[in-house]
């Protein structure tokens, strides 16, 4: 089932996340982004305007947005884990998707969402969104599953010898297809050609093809 927040532009949904507790890397995006941990948990973030000033009548309000998001999360959790909750603090059981924070201020909607797995992220948002493929596993497991780490490069585009990485359980591989900024819970060691390395934890993925990011 596809659960997309925005009803397209009708809700003008915005996500803005500052996350430090779920991993070792600070996540403070200013534009659409994803954050993935070594455990495979995901947090998504995107920023859009929630400004109604250009319209004679408001198209939506914070209450409508909150109700829509909560209903979508509850509906997904009911199917995915048998829990009819939108907030982690409301239950002692683990939720597949949880709302961390949702508010509208200064014409921007701010939403924190946590996903228990890459599969939950994809199922909740739908594969017709900007990210259509996403997984995290150790380098050794990735190679066993048929992923080739040959031909990867560093942030400057220089070839990287990944032979030792390929046998390691200390290196992790993000497999991703789509267009987004991606922050990883560790230091980037190698990426597919065409992936832009912004800093030691962040890359920009574009083009829609499947690419790999190795981090430790």
């Amino acid at each position: 089932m596809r659960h997309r927040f925005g009803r397209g532009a009708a809700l003008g949904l915005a996500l803005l996340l500052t996350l430090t507790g779920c991993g070792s890397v600070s996540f403070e995006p200013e534009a659409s982004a994803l954050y993935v941990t070594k455990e495979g948990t995901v947090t998504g973030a995107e920023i859009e305007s929630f400004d109604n000033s250009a319209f004679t009548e408001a198209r939506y309000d914070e209450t409508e947005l909150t109700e829509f998001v909560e209903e979508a999360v509850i509906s997904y959790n009911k199917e995915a884990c048998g829990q009819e909750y939108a907030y982690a603090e409301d239950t002692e059981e683990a939720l597949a998707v949880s709302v961390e924070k949702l508010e509208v201020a200064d014409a921007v909607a701010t939403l924190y969402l946590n996903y228990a797995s890459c599969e939950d992220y994809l199922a909740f948002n739908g594969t017709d969104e900007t990210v259509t493929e996403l997984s995290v596993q150790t380098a050794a497991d990735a190679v066993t599953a048929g992923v080739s780490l040959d031909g990867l490069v560093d942030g400057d585009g220089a070839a990287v010898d990944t032979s030792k990485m390929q046998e390691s359980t200390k290196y992790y591989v993000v497999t991703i297809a789509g267009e987004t900024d991606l922050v990883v819970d560790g230091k980037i060691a190698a990426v597919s050609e065409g992936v832009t390395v912004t800093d030691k934890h962040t890359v920009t993925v574009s083009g829609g093809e499947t690419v790999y990011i190795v981090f430790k």
Side-chain angles (χ1 to χ4, degrees):
M1 181 178 293
R2 182 174 178 270
H3 297 263
R4 182 59 176 167
F5 299 130
R7 298 178 214 169
L11 277 181
L13 178 65
L15 299 103
L16 174 62
L17 179 68
T18 300
L19 175 68
T20 57
C22 294
S24 61
V25 175
S26 176
F27 183 46
E28 300 178 344
E30 296 181 355
S32 299
L34 291 179
Y35 174 76
V36 297
T37 69
K38 297 171 182 176
E39 292 75 26
T41 61
V42 182
T43 303
E46 60 182 277
I47 301 174
E48 299 175 10
S49 172
F50 200 80
D51 188 4
N52 284 312
S53 61
F55 299 86
T56 57
E57 295 183 2
R59 298 163 296 161
Y60 44 78
D61 58 24
E62 183 174 358
T63 298
E64 181 188 14
L65 175 60
T66 300
E67 291 176 352
F68 183 81
V69 171
E70 290 177 348
E71 289 174 3
V73 172
I74 290 171
S75 176
Y76 181 84
N77 283 332
K78 183 178 180 180
E79 296 180 16
C81 59
Q83 298 292 309
E84 297 186 52
Y85 299 98
Y87 299 88
E89 61 267 27
D90 291 339
T91 176
E92 295 181 356
E93 303 295 328
L95 297 179
V97 181
S98 61
V99 180
E100 186 72 20
K101 180 180 180 182
L102 174 58
E103 67 179 16
V104 177
D106 299 324
V108 174
T110 301
L111 173 66
Y112 297 5
L113 275 185
N114 298 317
Y115 302 87
S117 69
C118 295
E119 292 80 3
D120 287 312
Y121 171 82
L122 292 172
F124 186 84
N125 289 285
T127 55
D128 59 338
E129 299 302 331
T130 55
V131 174
T132 60
E133 183 179 0
L134 182 66
S135 66
V136 183
Q137 57 191 322
T138 66
D141 287 343
V143 172
T144 299
V147 173
S148 174
L149 299 182
D150 296 331
L152 300 190
V153 298
D154 61 19
D156 296 321
V160 174
D161 182 359
T162 62
S163 57
K164 293 184 178 180
M165 298 178 191
Q166 295 185 37
E167 302 175 355
S168 176
T169 57
K170 294 183 179 180
Y171 285 89
Y172 293 80
V173 178
V174 178
T175 301
I176 185 170
E179 297 188 2
T180 187
D181 289 337
L182 174 71
V183 181
V184 298
D185 178 27
K187 185 177 180 180
I188 295 169
V191 299
S192 295
E193 290 189 4
V195 174
T196 302
V197 178
T198 305
D199 59 43
K200 62 183 180 181
H201 307 297
T202 309
V203 301
T204 298
V205 177
S206 60
E209 298 181 355
T210 300
V211 295
Y212 306 105
I213 296 91
V214 180
F215 69 98
K216 182 179 180 180

